[in-house]
Amino acid sequence: MTSVTRFAPSPNGLLHLGHALSAIIAHDTARRNGGRFLLRIEDIDIERRRPEFVSAIFEDLNWLGLTWEEPVLVQSEHFSDYLAAADRLIAMGLLYPCFATRKEIADAADPTKTDPDGAPLYPGIWRGASAEAVGARMAAGETPALRINMDGAMQALRAKRGDEPLTFIEVADDGSEQTITTDPARWGDAVIVRKEVPASYHLSVVVDDARQGVTHVTRGQDLLAATDLQRLLQELLDLPAPVYSHHRVIKWSDGRKLSKSNQDMGLRALRDEGATADDIRRVIFA
Ligand code: GLU
């Protein structure tokens, strides 16, 4: 099978060494076995995205010597597709509107219960709300987020698969494969369509990985737990499951995670200091 890999950065900042690792592994995997390497701009976060970060992505990847197929998929041009996928989940009775603010959620949440990202687990404020209560907020001009009813989704999964667990294949650096059993319920009633934009990361990523025929997802280990929720959405939406490789997260020597706001490890800054693409490969594969 020809592998189709992708690099899917969000243009909310400049790329750093962690991005270089994701991009280079995905690129080299495709090149090694005659596959295809795709680039996708994940710019659904319309408040944080900036056009200059999109140009910087192209510039940095070019500098790294990577080439990708055109055209580049730009997520903000496909909101209607993410809504169509959400509509299918609505038709299955698995999404419900939620008007709660971050503060309302934090106040009502059980502090001992958090999702894998450490955010408070949604305490179900709007789950089972009456049509009148929802209608009143809509009439006042408010837009809700749409959350997944996780109990309902797990039931739908059981109805489809019986006792067969929902898994994914994780491919290690040495090529060995491990089957990982997911536990999507630990995300609780996660947001599938955000208030501010008609999509969410989890929804758009599964729609696009399927649309683009991606067979192999390469990304940082910080997204490993997100795979459980994404596998659930794939299964509910009858989308194929790629295999995954979650690589190590590159950190500062004192253990802090690299971030887009802290640009000392940014590719542009390293280039400006005279680093070459070969230097970057040496550092990230050290
Ligand atoms: N757009 C995501 C990010 O930049 C990556 C998504 C993915 O690789 O699944 O963090």
Side-chain angles (χ1 to χ4, degrees):
M1 188 180 66
T2 314
S3 65
V4 181
T5 67
R6 49 65 161 187
F7 177 52
S10 302
N12 305 334
L14 293 168
L15 300 185
H16 55 57
L17 285 176
H19 294 108
L21 186 54
S22 297
I24 289 175
I25 295 176
H27 173 270
D28 291 2
T29 301
R31 293 291 172 263
R32 236 189 341 265
N33 58 22
R36 300 166 53 208
F37 171 63
L38 311 177
L39 173 62
R40 183 164 78 223
I41 301 295
E42 299 210 324
D43 63 344
I44 61 165
D45 199 345
I46 48 181
E47 281 171 11
R48 290 169 64 214
R49 68 163 181 207
R50 300 229 308 259
E52 58 270 35
F53 291 138
V54 177
S55 345
I57 288 169
F58 296 143
E59 200 181 302
D60 289 344
L61 296 180
N62 269 318
W63 174 67
L64 286 174
L66 309 187
T67 50
W68 55 89
E69 271 184 32
E70 299 285 349
V72 171
L73 193 148
V74 177
Q75 287 192 324
S76 60
E77 294 168 5
H78 295 276
F79 281 128
S80 58
D81 299 325
Y82 312 132
L83 280 183
D87 278 343
R88 284 190 58 189
L89 298 172
I90 292 171
M92 295 164 77
L94 297 180
L95 297 188
Y96 65 88
C98 165
F99 296 88
T101 61
R102 232 176 252 264
K103 174 157 177 12
E104 284 167 343
I105 294 169
D107 289 348
D110 175 343
T112 64
K113 290 189 181 151
T114 53
D115 72 16
D117 281 347
L121 219 49
Y122 181 70
I125 309 173
W126 282 84
R127 191 192 308 128
S130 67
E132 289 74 28
V134 173
R137 300 289 284 262
M138 300 281 264
E142 282 185 60
T143 308
L146 297 179
R147 288 182 179 272
I148 192 160
N149 180 326
M150 187 53 82
D151 286 345
M154 294 308 284
Q155 268 169 34
L157 194 66
R158 267 190 299 279
K160 231 176 142 174
R161 304 174 61 91
D163 287 335
E164 193 194 334
L166 184 65
T167 59
F168 63 91
I169 293 176
E170 176 75 14
V171 185
D173 291 351
D174 63 6
S176 61
E177 296 186 355
Q178 191 191 351
T179 300
I180 298 193
T181 299
T182 64
D183 176 15
R186 61 194 169 133
W187 287 96
D189 289 6
V191 170
I192 301 301
V193 177
R194 289 167 51 181
K195 262 187 208 176
E196 310 79 17
V197 288
S200 65
Y201 159 57
H202 299 296
L203 184 62
S204 56
V205 87
V206 299
V207 167
D208 285 340
D209 282 338
R211 175 217 307 274
Q212 295 189 287
V214 171
T215 59
H216 193 148
V217 169
T218 301
R219 57 190 182 189
Q221 213 147 34
D222 48 336
L223 289 171
L224 181 63
T227 309
D228 292 10
L229 186 51
Q230 293 171 16
R231 282 291 295 118
L232 174 65
L233 293 177
Q234 285 161 351
E235 195 68 11
L236 295 172
L237 293 166
D238 298 314
L239 301 175
V243 301
Y244 291 85
S245 292
H246 291 91
H247 60 70
R248 73 192 166 90
V249 171
I250 300 182
K251 296 198 167 135
W252 291 98
S253 44
D254 63 5
R256 276 178 301 136
K257 230 172 99 176
L258 302 184
S259 79
K260 285 178 179 152
S261 49
N262 195 334
Q263 272 308 314
D264 293 356
M265 289 267 204
L267 297 181
R268 176 177 287 187
L270 292 166
R271 181 165 74 239
D272 289 349
E273 281 168 20
T276 65
D278 281 345
D279 293 332
I280 302 297
R281 280 183 178 265
R282 258 193 302 278
V283 170
I284 60 180
F285 291 118

